[in-house]
Amino acid sequence: MRNIIFGIAGAALGFLVGFYAANTISQQTPAPRAAARVGAAPASAGQLPPDHPEIGPAAGAVGGASSTVAPEAQAAADAAERSPRDFAAQLKAAETFYRLNDYRKAEQYAERAAELKPGDFKTHVLLGNSRYDRKDFTAAAEAYERALSINADDPDVRTDYGNTFFLRQPPDLDRAIAEYRKSLAVNPRHEQSWLNLASASVQKKDKQTALEALARLESVNPNNPSLPTLRQSAESLP
């Protein structure tokens, strides 16, 4: 699971104290997604090990030979290109490129898989994740909407769907908050939804809602590392 929102990630404590003393609330931003990284190795939660070859935007053309493409990705791409009507081959290619952080190619193959099997929840989530991770939040929302039309009760996907409204410019905080509440209606102990709700409420300068969400977050996980800075943010609101 990726999608915990860190209120002021990476800022030094001394800077934070001075910052909030001035009664200025820093921009709250969602951190990684909540939805599982489809195709990722469970032990690494979708992150590549330090010595794993990555594929970036400069990697070779899909389906063509290139010395910069990892062998497993090249094999998956070749199989998908040989059998363009094979849903499993397209999905495997999408998962492989996604796992290697090449989100554009992952999106390309996930789109093909979705066309071949439009009712597959997992494929639409992968498509949404690929778009989300390359920061195309409007397009990611479209894929998540389709996934949620198939399974409306997945709190991780619902939370990430909410994040697409939080992260777009300008943000739609009311819509983000509404989606987090839908997630919590499904799972009242969904930690990331409480954290996201608190962060969005701080950004909206809704002190009461932020503090209520933080209290619920603390009841779910009193050791959540974002609690201190988010609480400081909320308490500094007028």
Side-chain angles (χ1 to χ4, degrees):
M1 299 293 178
R2 279 198 350 157
N3 256 188
I4 297 179
I5 295 182
F6 296 93
I8 320 288
L13 180 59
F15 173 82
L16 282 169
V17 171
F19 198 71
Y20 291 118
N23 291 321
T24 302
I25 303 303
S26 177
Q27 178 79 15
Q28 307 295 310
T29 57
R33 292 176 297 92
R37 296 176 66 102
V38 180
S44 63
Q47 302 298 323
L48 293 174
D51 58 346
H52 198 294
E54 294 190 8
I55 300 177
V62 173
S66 171
S67 60
T68 61
V69 178
E72 63 177 306
Q74 189 65 60
D78 289 345
E81 296 299 329
R82 283 195 304 268
S83 304
R85 304 299 299 172
D86 186 334
F87 167 78
Q90 306 308 314
L91 182 59
K92 181 177 180 180
E95 291 174 339
T96 302
F97 280 107
Y98 185 85
R99 188 171 64 251
L100 299 178
N101 295 349
D102 190 335
Y103 304 127
R104 286 193 179 277
K105 291 187 177 66
E107 179 184 7
Q108 176 183 337
Y109 286 113
E111 285 176 344
R112 292 187 188 180
E115 289 176 1
L116 292 169
K117 199 171 180 180
D120 189 73
F121 173 78
K122 176 181 176 181
T123 299
H124 291 292
V125 174
L126 176 56
L127 179 56
N129 290 351
S130 300
R131 292 171 173 175
Y132 186 114
D133 286 348
R134 69 175 185 81
K135 305 186 188 311
D136 187 346
F137 301 115
T138 300
E142 293 174 358
Y144 289 144
E145 283 174 3
R146 187 59 183 270
L148 290 166
S149 74
I150 299 166
N151 177 11
D153 293 334
D154 188 306
D156 290 338
V157 176
R158 180 71 67 180
T159 296
D160 291 339
Y161 180 51
N163 286 351
T164 67
F165 295 100
F166 195 150
L167 285 163
R168 66 183 62 188
Q169 294 299 324
D172 185 344
L173 296 175
D174 288 334
R175 181 62 184 275
I177 288 169
E179 297 304 326
Y180 300 149
R181 291 195 182 281
K182 290 179 184 178
S183 173
L184 291 164
V186 173
N187 180 3
R189 294 187 61 80
H190 195 255
E191 180 177 351
Q192 291 144 341
S193 293
W194 285 118
L195 184 53
N196 294 4
L197 176 58
S199 189
S201 298
V202 168
Q203 182 64 27
K204 191 181 174 183
K205 296 182 169 54
D206 183 346
K207 183 175 185 177
Q208 180 177 349
T209 300
L211 291 174
E212 289 172 354
L214 287 169
R216 294 296 300 271
L217 172 63
E218 186 172 22
S219 72
V220 172
N221 180 10
N223 298 314
N224 186 289
S226 296
L227 273 168
T229 50
L230 263 179
R231 183 176 288 111
Q232 187 176 21
S233 300
E235 290 175 349
S236 69
L237 289 168

